[in-house]
Amino acid sequence: MYTYYHLYLPLDVQNYKSKKETGRREVQLFNVLSPWSIYSFRVSAINELGKGEPSNPSPLYNTGKDIPHVAPSNVGGGGGKTGSLTITWDPLPPQEWNAPEIWYNVSYKPANSEGKFQEISLQKRHNIGLHVVNVGEENFYKPYLVKVQAINSLGAGPYSEEKQIYSAENMPQVQPSQVYALAYNSTALNVTWAPLDLNREKIRGKLIGYR
C-alpha cells in the first residue's frame, strides 16, 4: 500500500546543480519525503520581485521502503478475564508503515521484576491494536510493565515508552463485618461496618465501592 501525495513543496532551492549533458537543473531533497510514498512535484522560478507561476505537475515518483520511524502510541490495557493481561495500543496509520504491511511486537514483564521482557511477535495478525497474554489465574491483579514496537519487512521501529498496567481482577474473598444500623431520622438509617483488609489476596482487585 502506497501513500499518495500531490504536493507543491514550498522549498527555496538555491544550491541546485546543472547536468553537463542536458543542462537540466537538479537538486537532492534530504529528510523531506516519506518512505514508501508516491509524489509529484511542481517548480517555480524566483527572482528579486517574487515568485512566478508553478510548473505543471511532474509524473508520479515513488520513494523506497524503510523501517517504521515512530512507536505505537497510547499503550495501555488491563481488565478482561481472570488470568489474562490485556495490552492495547493505537495502530500506526498507513502513512507511518513505510512499507506494504506492518505488524507488532509486544513485550511484558512483572513490574517488580529485574528480569528481561518477554517478547511476542504478532506478525500473522498484521495491523491490530490489542493482544491478550495468559499469565495464569494465580497472577490476578498484578502490575506489569508493557511496551510495543512496530515492525515491517525491513526491520523494527522504536519501542514505545514502558507503561504499567494490571492483569485482570478476581472475585473478592472477603466481606464486610460488624454491620450495624442506627436510626438517623423517621425515614432513614445510618449503616456502618468494619473496614476491610485491603490486601491483594483478599480484595483481588481494586475496591471501587460497596453495595
Side-chain angles (χ1 to χ4, degrees):
M1 178 186 297
Y2 279 102
T3 301
Y4 289 83
Y5 295 91
H6 297 278
L7 299 178
Y8 173 59
L9 295 175
L11 301 175
D12 291 336
V13 180
Q14 298 180 5
N15 298 321
Y16 58 82
K17 298 179 181 179
S18 297
K19 286 192 172 182
K20 294 181 180 180
E21 299 83 0
T22 63
R24 291 175 60 84
R25 303 316 193 242
E26 178 184 85
V27 67
Q28 293 180 333
L29 304 177
F30 292 101
N31 299 321
V32 175
L33 309 181
S34 296
W36 198 244
S37 302
I38 293 180
Y39 289 90
S40 65
F41 301 90
R42 302 171 73 185
V43 180
S44 294
I46 301 175
N47 63 19
E48 294 179 353
L49 297 181
K51 180 174 65 176
E53 291 295 320
S55 66
N56 292 327
S58 71
L60 298 178
Y61 300 94
N62 64 281
T63 52
K65 295 183 288 187
D66 199 358
I67 64 172
H69 292 171
V70 299
S73 61
N74 199 27
V75 176
K81 183 180 178 181
T82 302
S84 65
L85 177 69
T86 301
I87 305 169
T88 61
W89 62 93
D90 289 342
L92 295 188
Q95 61 266 29
E96 301 289 359
W97 294 7
N98 296 346
E101 62 178 359
I102 201 169
W103 62 93
Y104 299 93
N105 277 356
V106 296
S107 298
Y108 69 98
K109 70 174 183 177
N112 57 357
S113 170
E114 297 295 332
K116 295 182 179 180
F117 279 87
Q118 297 188 57
E119 185 175 286
I120 301 174
S121 173
L122 306 179
Q123 182 171 1
K124 295 183 179 180
R125 299 183 62 189
H126 303 292
N127 193 39
I128 59 169
L130 179 147
H131 183 67
V132 179
V133 180
N134 182 6
V135 294
E137 292 191 6
E138 70 279 6
N139 291 313
F140 58 84
Y141 202 62
K142 279 190 173 181
Y144 286 82
L145 295 177
V146 299
K147 57 183 180 179
V148 184
Q149 72 177 159
I151 302 176
N152 63 25
S153 58
L154 289 189
Y159 265 110
S160 67
E161 293 183 0
E162 296 176 10
K163 296 291 185 178
Q164 179 173 292
I165 64 173
Y166 280 81
S167 56
E169 301 180 43
N170 204 340
M171 292 291 293
Q173 298 298 304
V174 64
Q175 62 279 339
S177 61
Q178 302 178 33
V179 180
Y180 299 105
L182 297 174
Y184 182 74
N185 57 33
S186 61
T187 60
L189 294 173
N190 186 10
V191 181
T192 64
W193 58 90
L196 293 176
D197 182 356
L198 299 181
N199 70 61
R200 172 182 169 272
E201 295 299 326
K202 292 183 178 180
I203 297 298
R204 300 196 167 197
K206 181 179 180 180
L207 181 65
I208 59 175
Y210 298 91
R211 179 179 297 177

